[in-house]
Amino acid sequence: MIRIFQRPRIVASRCVEFDHCRWNGDMIGSNVVRALKGYAEFVPVCPEVEIGLGVPRKPVRLVASGEGVRLVQPESGMDVTERMRAFSDRYLDAIGDIDGFILKSRSPSCGTKDVRIYRSPETAQVAEKGRGLFAEAVFSRFPDMPIEDEGRLRNRQIREYFLTRLFTLAEFRQVQTSERIRDLQAFHARNKFLLMAYNQGELEHLGRIVANPDRKAFAEVVQDYRAHLIAALHHPPRYTATINALMHAFGHFSDELTPDEKTLFLDTLERYRQDRVTICPNLTILRSWIARFGDEYLGEQTFFTPFPPDLVEVAPDLSHEGREYREVAPEG
């Protein structure tokens, strides 16, 4: 079945694919952000421009002091810490419904980690590393949201985990606004295998919540469900839990398959267990059986397509678009 995805609403650093607003007038490229533009609503922001620093501008840096970390502009001696904190609070208060953040890596305002904090405005000595001031406010205000920087999203595993959480929470936000318990029950049913792969214990707890034996009001049920959904997705799935979900799906077809088909699947699963292949071959086999046997229940499971397939990137060394190294016979 073709899945229709809800469009997540994402706050993004404006200098990443949206505007030439870095301190030197540059714009940062990101394949992930570029691809997501067709599937998400972006809310771009440049905190440094918003507090009046302009483009181009003299660089700012984080500096350790007796009063905590300060955001200063070494060349002018200007301290813009309070301006940045005031803007961050005001902006995040007014942002409305958000499903995630993609921020500029290592920026003194937006960096999510590994931002240099210097010993003084003038020195090149780094006292420690931390988060940018705007990013710190984001993490404080939205600790449960998917928050990443464009640099880390180049890593396939980080990217797929981020996208899975992003699109799952976007869909859940739509369920919240529906105020219908049957929509929550349908959401839970569609995400059963995904939650099984992420956290079996939370899956069971979420099942009890959605059953609602005490006939609680929808607002109370959905609030409780959201808290445990966030907990279930808090860590990436372990490969052993993913194998468990794959085996549960395999069980739907085991009586219909030939011995050779079963052997193919189980051998491929063992190769995944040994870290010799990715999960993709097993998912492809299961998808083919879903289509062959018309299994509507599995066909609706988000586990098989947690985010739009167009957002999946092929590694450069595997892409047929790259340089070919086949030996070419000399002419003549």
Side-chain angles (χ1 to χ4, degrees):
M1 296 182 65
I2 298 175
R3 180 180 172 190
I4 298 175
F5 293 89
Q6 297 294 335
R7 293 176 66 87
R9 192 164 183 257
I10 307 169
V11 173
S13 291
R14 185 180 291 276
C15 65
V16 181
E17 285 290 340
F18 290 98
D19 194 7
H20 292 265
C21 61
R22 291 202 73 207
W23 66 273
N24 59 357
D26 280 352
M27 182 173 71
I28 302 299
S30 167
N31 292 340
V32 176
V33 171
R34 197 177 309 124
L36 268 169
K37 285 182 178 181
Y39 296 94
E41 175 191 349
F42 276 98
V43 184
V45 62
C46 178
E48 293 177 21
V49 171
E50 293 292 339
I51 64 172
L53 294 184
V55 182
R57 56 186 175 274
K58 301 301 180 183
V60 292
R61 61 164 53 176
L62 297 178
V63 176
S65 75
E67 300 176 352
V69 176
R70 310 295 295 179
L71 182 63
V72 302
Q73 192 174 58
E75 186 162 323
S76 67
M78 184 166 52
D79 185 323
V80 294
T81 307
E82 300 311 323
R83 283 160 63 181
M84 181 60 74
R85 287 176 176 161
F87 164 75
S88 299
D89 288 342
R90 185 171 64 253
Y91 180 84
L92 296 175
D93 280 345
I95 197 60
D97 291 329
I98 288 295
D99 300 302
F101 293 79
I102 300 177
L103 302 178
K104 176 65 191 78
S105 62
R106 299 177 180 177
S107 158
S109 55
C110 291
T112 61
K113 62 185 303 182
D114 293 334
V115 181
R116 294 174 180 175
I117 302 174
Y118 294 88
R119 294 189 183 278
S120 74
E122 301 82 13
T123 185
Q125 292 182 324
V126 176
E128 57 182 313
K129 293 185 178 182
R131 293 176 180 148
L133 288 196
F134 179 75
E136 191 65 59
V138 168
F139 275 91
S140 177
R141 189 73 61 91
F142 301 98
D144 300 330
M145 287 287 178
I147 306 169
E148 278 296 352
D149 64 57
E150 96 293 345
R152 280 172 50 85
L153 288 176
R154 288 194 290 266
N155 178 284
R156 181 185 62 83
Q157 290 181 317
I158 291 173
R159 180 173 63 251
E160 291 185 0
Y161 174 51
F162 173 82
L163 292 173
T164 297
R165 294 178 69 209
L166 181 71
F167 281 90
T168 302
L169 293 179
E171 183 182 0
F172 182 73
R173 180 163 58 83
Q174 296 299 313
V175 172
Q176 286 181 287
T177 60
S178 78
E179 299 185 356
R180 294 191 294 263
I181 194 69
R182 65 176 179 272
D183 289 342
L184 180 61
Q185 292 167 342
F187 173 87
H188 182 73
R190 289 192 302 273
N191 285 279
K192 181 177 179 181
F193 277 74
L194 181 72
L195 293 168
M196 183 186 301
Y198 271 77
N199 192 312
Q200 180 76 42
E202 288 294 350
L203 169 62
E204 294 171 0
H205 195 104
L206 288 164
R208 291 192 292 270
I209 292 171
V210 80
N212 195 19
D214 298 327
R215 298 291 184 264
K216 297 178 181 178
F218 176 83
E220 185 178 354
V221 173
V222 79
Q223 183 177 4
D224 195 13
Y225 190 98
R226 184 183 187 279
H228 286 275
L229 175 64
I230 293 294
L233 301 177
H234 186 65
H235 296 291
R238 296 177 180 271
Y239 77 94
T240 50
T242 300
I243 289 173
N244 179 52
L246 291 168
M247 286 298 297
H248 271 76
F250 173 65
H252 279 239
F253 308 111
S254 58
D255 293 338
E256 308 291 336
L257 302 173
T258 68
D260 285 346
E261 287 175 318
K262 294 179 182 179
T263 298
L264 172 65
F265 178 83
L266 295 173
D267 284 352
T268 307
L269 189 64
E270 183 57 29
R271 288 170 62 81
Y272 172 65
R273 187 193 307 274
Q274 296 172 5
D275 203 21
R276 297 172 63 191
V277 297
T278 68
I279 193 177
C280 293
N282 280 108
L283 291 178
T284 300
I285 293 171
L286 287 169
R287 288 192 191 104
S288 73
W289 292 340
I290 290 171
R292 174 180 163 190
F293 296 111
D295 192 312
E296 294 184 4
Y297 174 71
L298 285 185
E300 292 183 347
Q301 288 299 309
T302 60
F303 173 73
F304 296 101
T305 314
F307 50 82
D310 288 349
L311 300 180
V312 176
E313 290 186 346
V314 177
D317 60 330
L318 299 177
S319 172
H320 61 74
E321 296 294 338
R323 178 180 176 182
E324 296 192 15
Y325 289 91
R326 291 178 297 188
E327 188 172 323
V328 178
E331 294 183 2

mmCIF file of all heavy atoms in Angstrom, residues 38 84 87 98 117 146 165 167 176 212 217 220 223 235 239-240 247 310:
data_model
loop_
_atom_site.group_PDB
_atom_site.id
_atom_site.type_symbol
_atom_site.label_atom_id
_atom_site.label_comp_id
_atom_site.label_asym_id
_atom_site.label_seq_id
_atom_site.Cartn_x
_atom_site.Cartn_y
_atom_site.Cartn_z
ATOM 1 N N GLY A 38 10.462 18.915 -0.189
ATOM 2 C CA GLY A 38 9.274 18.421 -0.864
ATOM 3 C C GLY A 38 8.308 17.689 0.043
ATOM 4 O O GLY A 38 7.194 17.352 -0.376
ATOM 5 N N MET A 84 20.591 37.449 22.647
ATOM 6 C CA MET A 84 20.327 36.127 22.078
ATOM 7 C C MET A 84 19.362 35.333 22.948
ATOM 8 O O MET A 84 18.451 34.661 22.441
ATOM 9 C CB MET A 84 21.631 35.354 21.901
ATOM 10 C CG MET A 84 21.465 33.963 21.294
ATOM 11 S SD MET A 84 20.719 33.970 19.639
ATOM 12 C CE MET A 84 22.108 34.571 18.664
ATOM 13 N N PHE A 87 15.843 36.838 22.513
ATOM 14 C CA PHE A 87 15.265 36.450 21.228
ATOM 15 C C PHE A 87 14.837 34.987 21.245
ATOM 16 O O PHE A 87 13.742 34.644 20.780
ATOM 17 C CB PHE A 87 16.266 36.668 20.083
ATOM 18 C CG PHE A 87 15.858 35.940 18.838
ATOM 19 C CD1 PHE A 87 14.816 36.412 18.051
ATOM 20 C CD2 PHE A 87 16.468 34.740 18.476
ATOM 21 C CE1 PHE A 87 14.415 35.720 16.916
ATOM 22 C CE2 PHE A 87 16.071 34.041 17.348
ATOM 23 C CZ PHE A 87 15.035 34.535 16.570
ATOM 24 N N ILE A 98 5.530 22.292 16.380
ATOM 25 C CA ILE A 98 6.778 21.959 15.705
ATOM 26 C C ILE A 98 7.026 20.459 15.884
ATOM 27 O O ILE A 98 6.715 19.884 16.924
ATOM 28 C CB ILE A 98 7.947 22.771 16.304
ATOM 29 C CG1 ILE A 98 7.843 24.232 15.875
ATOM 30 C CG2 ILE A 98 9.296 22.221 15.883
ATOM 31 C CD1 ILE A 98 8.010 24.454 14.384
ATOM 32 N N ILE A 117 33.997 26.605 23.076
ATOM 33 C CA ILE A 117 33.829 27.641 24.097
ATOM 34 C C ILE A 117 35.234 28.069 24.501
ATOM 35 O O ILE A 117 35.983 27.293 25.094
ATOM 36 C CB ILE A 117 33.035 27.118 25.304
ATOM 37 C CG1 ILE A 117 31.662 26.606 24.846
ATOM 38 C CG2 ILE A 117 32.877 28.217 26.353
ATOM 39 C CD1 ILE A 117 30.857 25.933 25.950
ATOM 40 N N PRO A 146 12.873 15.614 17.891
ATOM 41 C CA PRO A 146 14.054 15.276 17.089
ATOM 42 C C PRO A 146 14.828 16.564 16.776
ATOM 43 O O PRO A 146 14.289 17.473 16.140
ATOM 44 C CB PRO A 146 13.460 14.675 15.805
ATOM 45 C CG PRO A 146 12.039 14.355 16.123
ATOM 46 C CD PRO A 146 11.618 15.327 17.172
ATOM 47 N N ARG A 165 11.668 9.342 13.686
ATOM 48 C CA ARG A 165 11.023 10.081 14.776
ATOM 49 C C ARG A 165 10.235 11.273 14.239
ATOM 50 O O ARG A 165 9.101 11.546 14.670
ATOM 51 C CB ARG A 165 12.072 10.573 15.776
ATOM 52 C CG ARG A 165 12.792 9.461 16.530
ATOM 53 C CD ARG A 165 13.832 10.049 17.460
ATOM 54 N NE ARG A 165 13.218 10.756 18.565
ATOM 55 C CZ ARG A 165 13.785 11.804 19.196
ATOM 56 N NH1 ARG A 165 14.966 12.251 18.801
ATOM 57 N NH2 ARG A 165 13.182 12.377 20.210
ATOM 58 N N PHE A 167 8.758 11.900 11.275
ATOM 59 C CA PHE A 167 7.498 11.616 10.584
ATOM 60 C C PHE A 167 6.505 10.890 11.492
ATOM 61 O O PHE A 167 5.291 11.051 11.335
ATOM 62 C CB PHE A 167 7.769 10.832 9.299
ATOM 63 C CG PHE A 167 8.236 11.705 8.178
ATOM 64 C CD1 PHE A 167 9.581 11.953 7.983
ATOM 65 C CD2 PHE A 167 7.319 12.316 7.338
ATOM 66 C CE1 PHE A 167 10.021 12.779 6.957
ATOM 67 C CE2 PHE A 167 7.739 13.150 6.308
ATOM 68 C CZ PHE A 167 9.095 13.387 6.116
ATOM 69 N N GLN A 176 -3.569 13.894 17.557
ATOM 70 C CA GLN A 176 -3.936 14.728 18.703
ATOM 71 C C GLN A 176 -5.020 15.743 18.348
ATOM 72 O O GLN A 176 -5.951 15.970 19.124
ATOM 73 C CB GLN A 176 -2.703 15.464 19.229
ATOM 74 C CG GLN A 176 -1.727 14.587 20.005
ATOM 75 C CD GLN A 176 -0.552 15.392 20.517
ATOM 76 O OE1 GLN A 176 0.323 15.784 19.760
ATOM 77 N NE2 GLN A 176 -0.532 15.651 21.807
ATOM 78 N N ASN A 212 -7.783 1.839 26.933
ATOM 79 C CA ASN A 212 -8.570 2.755 27.763
ATOM 80 C C ASN A 212 -9.674 2.049 28.560
ATOM 81 O O ASN A 212 -10.860 2.391 28.452
ATOM 82 C CB ASN A 212 -9.192 3.846 26.872
ATOM 83 C CG ASN A 212 -9.715 5.024 27.670
ATOM 84 O OD1 ASN A 212 -9.341 5.231 28.821
ATOM 85 N ND2 ASN A 212 -10.602 5.796 27.063
ATOM 86 N N ALA A 217 -11.033 10.495 29.446
ATOM 87 C CA ALA A 217 -11.257 11.452 28.366
ATOM 88 C C ALA A 217 -10.108 11.387 27.372
ATOM 89 O O ALA A 217 -8.972 11.062 27.734
ATOM 90 C CB ALA A 217 -11.369 12.867 28.937
ATOM 91 N N GLU A 220 -6.742 13.171 28.190
ATOM 92 C CA GLU A 220 -5.901 12.489 29.166
ATOM 93 C C GLU A 220 -5.216 11.277 28.547
ATOM 94 O O GLU A 220 -4.024 11.030 28.783
ATOM 95 C CB GLU A 220 -6.742 12.061 30.373
ATOM 96 C CG GLU A 220 -5.928 11.455 31.510
ATOM 97 C CD GLU A 220 -6.777 11.095 32.710
ATOM 98 O OE1 GLU A 220 -7.984 11.414 32.717
ATOM 99 O OE2 GLU A 220 -6.228 10.476 33.658
ATOM 100 N N GLN A 223 -2.435 12.390 26.032
ATOM 101 C CA GLN A 223 -1.272 12.952 26.731
ATOM 102 C C GLN A 223 -0.403 11.828 27.307
ATOM 103 O O GLN A 223 0.830 11.858 27.204
ATOM 104 C CB GLN A 223 -1.729 13.895 27.841
ATOM 105 C CG GLN A 223 -0.565 14.579 28.568
ATOM 106 C CD GLN A 223 -1.055 15.568 29.621
ATOM 107 O OE1 GLN A 223 -2.261 15.690 29.873
ATOM 108 N NE2 GLN A 223 -0.140 16.287 30.233
ATOM 109 N N HIS A 235 15.583 6.058 22.063
ATOM 110 C CA HIS A 235 16.857 5.514 21.600
ATOM 111 C C HIS A 235 16.652 4.776 20.279
ATOM 112 O O HIS A 235 15.580 4.201 20.048
ATOM 113 C CB HIS A 235 17.449 4.549 22.631
ATOM 114 C CG HIS A 235 17.812 5.200 23.929
ATOM 115 N ND1 HIS A 235 18.856 6.096 24.054
ATOM 116 C CD2 HIS A 235 17.260 5.099 25.167
ATOM 117 C CE1 HIS A 235 18.935 6.501 25.305
ATOM 118 N NE2 HIS A 235 17.974 5.926 25.990
ATOM 119 N N TYR A 239 19.598 -3.984 17.016
ATOM 120 C CA TYR A 239 19.410 -4.890 15.881
ATOM 121 C C TYR A 239 18.667 -6.159 16.302
ATOM 122 O O TYR A 239 17.923 -6.747 15.514
ATOM 123 C CB TYR A 239 20.751 -5.229 15.232
ATOM 124 C CG TYR A 239 21.599 -6.244 15.969
ATOM 125 C CD1 TYR A 239 21.538 -7.599 15.645
ATOM 126 C CD2 TYR A 239 22.444 -5.848 17.006
ATOM 127 C CE1 TYR A 239 22.314 -8.527 16.317
ATOM 128 C CE2 TYR A 239 23.215 -6.770 17.685
ATOM 129 C CZ TYR A 239 23.153 -8.118 17.338
ATOM 130 O OH TYR A 239 23.904 -9.044 18.019
ATOM 131 N N THR A 240 18.837 -6.578 17.580
ATOM 132 C CA THR A 240 18.130 -7.778 18.039
ATOM 133 C C THR A 240 16.620 -7.540 18.091
ATOM 134 O O THR A 240 15.834 -8.440 17.770
ATOM 135 C CB THR A 240 18.646 -8.190 19.428
ATOM 136 O OG1 THR A 240 18.634 -7.043 20.300
ATOM 137 C CG2 THR A 240 20.078 -8.720 19.347
ATOM 138 N N MET A 247 10.971 -11.192 12.381
ATOM 139 C CA MET A 247 10.483 -12.555 12.557
ATOM 140 C C MET A 247 8.969 -12.589 12.777
ATOM 141 O O MET A 247 8.290 -13.503 12.300
ATOM 142 C CB MET A 247 11.212 -13.229 13.718
ATOM 143 C CG MET A 247 12.644 -13.625 13.408
ATOM 144 S SD MET A 247 12.740 -14.849 12.061
ATOM 145 C CE MET A 247 11.862 -16.250 12.800
ATOM 146 N N ASP A 310 11.846 8.508 -0.968
ATOM 147 C CA ASP A 310 12.724 9.410 -1.712
ATOM 148 C C ASP A 310 13.802 10.039 -0.833
ATOM 149 O O ASP A 310 14.763 10.629 -1.348
ATOM 150 C CB ASP A 310 11.908 10.526 -2.372
ATOM 151 C CG ASP A 310 11.090 10.022 -3.552
ATOM 152 O OD1 ASP A 310 11.321 8.874 -3.982
ATOM 153 O OD2 ASP A 310 10.226 10.767 -4.033
#
